Amino acid sequence: MATILIVDDRPSNRAYLLALLGFTAHRLLEADDGATALELVRAHRPDLIITDILMPKMDGYEFVQRLRADRELAATRVIFYSAVYAERETQAMARSCGVERVLSKPSDADAIMEAVNAELVLAGAAPSAPPVPAAPAVSALPAAAPAATPPAENPNACAAPEGQLNARLAALEAMCLQLVGEREVEGLVTCFLQAAGRILCADQLALCLFERDERSVRHLSAQGFDCSLVAAHAANDLRLPGALVHAREALLLKGGEPLLATLPAHHPRPGSFLGLAVRDLHHLHGWMYFVRAPGAPPFGEEDLRWASALGAHLAVAYENLNLYQVVQRHAAQLQLEATARARADAALRDSEHRLELARQVFDCTQEAIMMTDACANIVAVNPAFERITGYSEAEVMGQNPRLLRSGRQDAGFYRAMWDSLEERGQWRGEIWNRRKNGEIFPEHTSISAVRDEEGKLTAYVSVSSDLSALKAAHNQLDFLSNHDALTQLPNRSLFHDRLQQAIAAARRSGRQLALLMVNVDRLSRINDSLGHAAGDALLREVARRALEIAGPADTVARLSGDEFVLLLSSCDDTEDIIFSARRLIDAIAQPHPVDGHDVVVTGSVGISVYPRDGDAPGDLLKAADAALARQKDAGRNGFRFFKGEMNDQALRWLALETRLRRAIGRAELALHFQPQVATVDGRVLGMEALLRWHSPELGRISPSDFIPLAEDTGLILPIGDWVIRQACLQNKAWQDAGLPRVPVAVNVSAHQFKAGTVPAVVRAALHESGLEAQYLEIELTESVMMGDTTAAETQLAELRAMGVSISLDDFGTGYSSLGYLSRFSLDKLKIDQAFVRNITSDSRSAAIAQATIALAEGLSLRVVAEGVETLAQRDFLGRIGCEVLQGYLYSPALPAREMQELLAAGRVALA
């Protein structure tokens, strides 16, 4: 019999190992940190130590270092049992302090027992014998209150026999994995009761969980009887079962013992009783007990250890559930705070907008504005003042406004003005003033006194209008506020008002309206090539042509830079709408004379119809905009009516984009690997890295959904860089672990080549990971070659110079220009699964595949066939000379851990 010390700060981990090793004849010790463990080692001289690494007070690494520093203890065998560090880091740490064996959490029971037996043999102690009742574990944890004297162990008790040990451990492990995922206390209790009842062979069992105050009952549940029988005693610490909260260790009783008489009346009569408090080092979480009926084998010491292990796991799971709910509450609070912050930001932006608007009004208004200090000395005037009076700001700064006096008003007029300012803080009226050139003119003037929060006079502000031009100025201001300055068309605000009026009229008459949103396609090319003045002239001409098409009751407006809208107020059927849309598109497509050039542009139109697509201005505009976006995606220069699913798709893509932007930082992206195997013997010759995204909110997202979105939004660049880096790091880690050295293939988007950063990203990834370039393969599609071919060719040459392999993916599905094969330096062609799928039934697919292989052989290129799913496909490809295959016949794309196991096997065996 050997002595084994278990060191771990988590009670559940210690309980698991004690339960596992409790079926051997070994003497077991336990400690919850390195300092306590060191004292136990000096006192008991164990043959083997199983220790965690990351612990409070003294961690496992320091504990082993001190052990090795003591000559008398230096030879003690040690196993590291930890989940904190990566396997490579843990192995390095172990070697540095003379530890030869490392187990990762979680490990299955057989692996643990194998490691323990191997270390005991090296230590010169007897390995684990077949299971026998073990001696009680010696604990260095805080002393517990004495439990009731357990009865003599019945040989027929429902303790796990040798054949049931693995079953119990499997049930315990399955329960722990399920408890981790539970987020509601009801589910946690149900899962626990079902597993605990099976493990301990209990006829009745009950579980009570407390609130955070450790007194109030949060949940009470039972199996084998109605839990209402114990509800009154749940928190009564003077009677069972409530009295279990005082038990620091499990309470083992058999029928007839006096303490059982304190159970509630009508409780099923127990043959044996096993109860304990559910607690961890810091909190009391509740109690639980198990009952076997009279005549059944009584609970024994093994059952007591199992119950302790169950209680430890439950305490950890319940504490985690409580912490999760606290986090959820905090998240909700953070959401409220974020909403409040967003509102505050919006208010700030609105305030800044108002200030900017005020400045623009001050500079652009047609009224003369003059500001003076409290002593009536001019401190600021606006451009309108300069234009109306003829005085520049520099000429009047520091002067008194009396320099504008015409002499037509007497002293009594000005005395009444000042009296009004002093009494009421303002004065309004007409006054005759004199311009710099001596001309006398009438003004309507409003003067206000400005005071601070304490009521102290700080300034005067006067706003004056030249009455001779007042009407024209008012009309102009009104026009500018409701019309586009460039095209003189109604702006968004005025159009919104007219659309509301049109909807009201259509609602009364029962007629329909049509809203045609028009986008001038690729206006930016005109601005970039001929200048913005040419672009503005083009927009004015588009506006003029749209007005010619519009009827007398219709409205044409300009909503933004290259976006117009035509409101058709009299359209009896869809044909009228289509006719107007085609006329508008044809009118825009006619050549536009701009600066001596005949410029040709096209227009895309999105159409929404009242009342079918909405009964409010915002709904109709949004629907037309969605239809316009869909038309632009479909190729521009056409029109499209709105459909309901367009809005749903737009909302879905918006939500997907928002979450994709957060996915990288939240570690939601992962690489899976699909092996590439030899046709002849199934050896793993390489692998392809494939990106997967699992969103906590949306679940697993298909790459066909998020890859195009990433390319459209530009997120493909950081995501693509991350994929290259992770693939290199993972492949190097496998090589360092002694696994076969095979290349990993990474798909690179045409957008990455367009950015011109691929060689730099690859070089950085190879340098960081230490991976040799020959073990990295870049896969590209024909779209890369169809863009800027010179830039792509330069980047590919740079990659080849590094030693990186280049393969052409999906060969045969695009343009498949043979000129590309001769111009670009390639190493490999990949036959697309579209041809492989029907290769045994479609002679054309077979011929294409055979021709591709023959072409590759002539160009000294390797060939990989994708999408191999059947043995018939494998055999056919083998016969025509394809030596490397990839597809579900051999393996789907695997997570890194499963791919590691496949690499370790070295080949894929087919059933």
Side-chain angles (χ1 to χ4, degrees), residues 569-888:
S569 58
S570 57
C571 46
D572 297 327
D573 53 35
T574 304
E575 292 300 323
D576 292 340
I577 301 173
I578 294 175
F579 178 73
S580 296
R582 285 175 174 166
R583 285 187 64 200
L584 186 58
I585 293 172
D586 292 342
I588 294 174
Q590 295 301 314
H592 299 260
V594 177
D595 292 343
H597 300 273
D598 281 340
V599 177
V600 177
V601 294
T602 58
S604 300
V605 180
I607 305 172
S608 61
V609 179
Y610 167 87
R612 185 190 68 191
D613 300 327
D615 58 359
D619 294 337
L620 291 174
L621 284 168
K622 184 171 67 173
D625 189 51
L628 174 61
R630 185 62 63 89
Q631 175 59 38
K632 291 167 68 175
D633 291 341
R636 306 175 186 267
N637 194 24
F639 65 89
R640 185 165 301 222
F641 284 86
F642 172 76
K643 295 181 181 179
E645 57 267 22
M646 293 181 183
N647 189 48
D648 297 339
Q649 179 69 11
L651 293 175
R652 180 177 181 274
W653 273 68
L654 179 61
L656 206 61
E657 178 184 351
T658 301
R659 288 171 172 82
L660 183 58
R661 291 184 181 277
R662 300 195 298 251
I664 302 176
R666 292 183 172 184
E668 297 174 6
L669 300 179
L671 289 185
H672 286 201
F673 300 86
Q674 188 172 35
Q676 298 172 344
V677 303
T679 308
V680 177
D681 56 8
R683 284 182 299 109
V684 178
L685 303 178
M687 55 193 159
E688 180 178 1
L690 300 170
L691 185 61
R692 297 293 183 264
W693 177 22
H694 185 274
S695 167
E697 299 91 354
L698 303 178
R700 295 192 180 276
I701 312 298
S702 170
S704 63
D705 286 337
F706 72 82
I707 293 297
L709 176 61
E711 292 181 334
D712 187 55
T713 58
L715 291 173
I716 193 65
L717 296 180
I719 291 176
D721 296 350
W722 180 86
V723 169
I724 294 173
R725 177 176 177 272
Q726 289 300 119
C728 292
L729 289 171
Q730 183 62 75
N731 197 11
K732 178 60 176 175
W734 283 331
Q735 293 183 6
D736 291 345
L739 297 176
R741 295 173 176 263
V742 296
V744 59
V746 179
N747 292 280
V748 177
S749 166
H751 293 265
Q752 294 172 263
F753 275 98
K754 186 176 180 180
T757 60
V758 175
V761 171
V762 169
R763 186 179 292 106
L766 293 174
H767 177 74
E768 179 184 0
S769 63
L771 182 70
E772 296 178 35
Q774 62 180 317
Y775 297 114
L776 176 63
E777 178 180 308
I778 296 298
E779 287 192 8
L780 51 92
T781 60
E782 295 174 7
S783 60
V784 173
M785 304 175 181
M786 293 167 56
D788 186 349
T789 56
T790 302
E793 187 175 4
T794 301
Q795 294 181 72
L796 291 176
E798 190 172 348
L799 291 171
R800 289 293 303 274
M802 295 182 203
V804 175
S805 299
I806 308 297
S807 66
L808 181 59
D809 197 9
D810 301 336
F811 181 74
T813 60
Y815 290 90
S816 302
S817 170
L818 299 182
Y820 294 149
L821 299 181
S822 62
R823 180 175 177 181
F824 291 91
S825 299
L826 301 174
D827 299 286
K828 182 187 296 183
L829 290 182
K830 300 191 73 175
I831 304 176
D832 189 72
Q833 59 182 343
F835 303 118
V836 175
R837 185 181 299 114
N838 303 318
I839 200 168
T840 59
S841 59
D842 181 13
S843 58
R844 293 186 177 183
S845 295
I848 291 173
Q850 193 164 5
T852 300
I853 294 173
L855 176 64
E857 289 179 353
L859 295 174
S860 299
L861 300 179
R862 300 188 302 276
V863 179
V864 177
E866 294 183 302
V868 179
E869 299 180 351
T870 67
L871 293 173
Q873 293 169 352
R874 180 200 66 179
D875 296 340
F876 185 90
L877 289 166
R879 287 195 300 272
I880 64 176
C882 185
E883 298 178 351
V884 184
L885 306 179
Q886 177 181 344
Y888 273 73

Side-chain angles (χ1 to χ4, degrees), residues 438-460:
E439 177 187 350
I440 297 174
F441 66 100
E443 279 187 319
H444 183 275
T445 301
S446 174
I447 306 175
S448 298
V450 180
R451 300 182 182 275
D452 59 19
E453 295 179 354
E454 298 177 355
K456 181 180 178 181
L457 180 66
T458 59
Y460 294 101

Side-chain angles (χ1 to χ4, degrees), residues 317-346:
Y318 186 55
E319 178 65 15
N320 288 342
L321 184 143
N322 288 332
L323 291 175
Y324 171 80
Q325 294 177 342
V326 169
V327 169
Q328 290 295 95
R329 290 194 296 271
H330 287 179
Q333 181 62 33
L334 288 174
Q335 183 62 40
L336 291 175
E337 293 177 2
T339 302
R341 188 176 298 111
R343 290 174 179 169
D345 291 343

